[in-house]
Amino acid sequence: MTSHQNSQTMKPATAAKKLGVYLEATPADFREGVVSRSELNALQADPPAWLKELRQNGPHPRPVVAARLGISISGLARGGITEPLTTEQIEALRAEAPEWLTKERATQAEVRKETVRIKERDARRAAERAQDA
């Protein structure tokens, strides 16, 4: 029995998400086709000019905007940011430092601290259980 390997493909939206770019800003041939796993790997390994440009200047999807601002995606929504932003717009927001952004950054910092605390607590409990065993 001969087996031939089918190339795994994905929708353009999935590929754009994996590449960290806003789908609507990608070239038409990217949006209208399907992307194979090998094509995605090639784009990641050696990004073409359009991909470099999008990653550098945007517009960026919400997860990238949130990460660059140091807040959560929910924090973006609470701040009224629902559209993709360019790098320039993100930098302007950082410089302006509106009250909602400052508050969301503080919230995110607390979440990170709590995550570290819980991780340390769980590691300590695991070590105690290992000693008792």
Side-chain angles (χ1 to χ4, degrees):
M1 181 183 227
T2 310
S3 67
H4 62 285
Q5 186 177 359
N6 287 339
S7 178
Q8 183 183 20
T9 61
M10 61 192 84
K11 294 178 182 176
T14 304
K17 186 175 181 179
K18 289 180 181 288
L19 292 169
V21 295
Y22 182 56
L23 177 64
E24 301 305 317
T26 60
D29 60 329
F30 180 85
R31 286 192 310 265
E32 294 164 2
V34 294
V35 180
S36 71
R37 174 66 61 190
S38 59
E39 289 170 329
L40 178 68
N41 290 341
L43 286 170
Q44 289 172 325
D46 186 24
W50 65 265
L51 182 54
K52 288 178 184 176
E53 174 69 19
L54 279 178
R55 285 178 168 170
Q56 185 173 9
N57 299 316
H60 303 288
R62 288 181 310 160
V64 174
V65 173
R68 288 188 175 197
L69 289 173
I71 63 175
S72 67
I73 295 172
S74 299
L76 272 182
R78 286 189 292 270
I81 307 293
T82 56
E83 297 297 315
L85 298 179
T86 63
T87 300
E88 190 176 300
Q89 291 169 315
I90 293 169
E91 292 304 321
L93 256 178
R94 276 187 183 156
E96 183 183 314
E99 185 180 333
W100 69 266
L101 180 57
T102 305
K103 183 179 174 185
E104 289 300 333
R105 281 183 158 171
T107 300
Q108 192 68 14
E110 289 299 318
V111 167
R112 286 188 192 110
K113 276 191 217 171
E114 182 66 6
T115 301
V116 168
R117 186 191 69 79
I118 290 171
K119 195 174 190 177
E120 289 171 349
R121 180 201 66 194
D122 292 348
R124 200 172 44 251
R125 286 180 179 173
E128 289 170 0
R129 280 194 298 270
Q131 284 180 342
D132 292 342

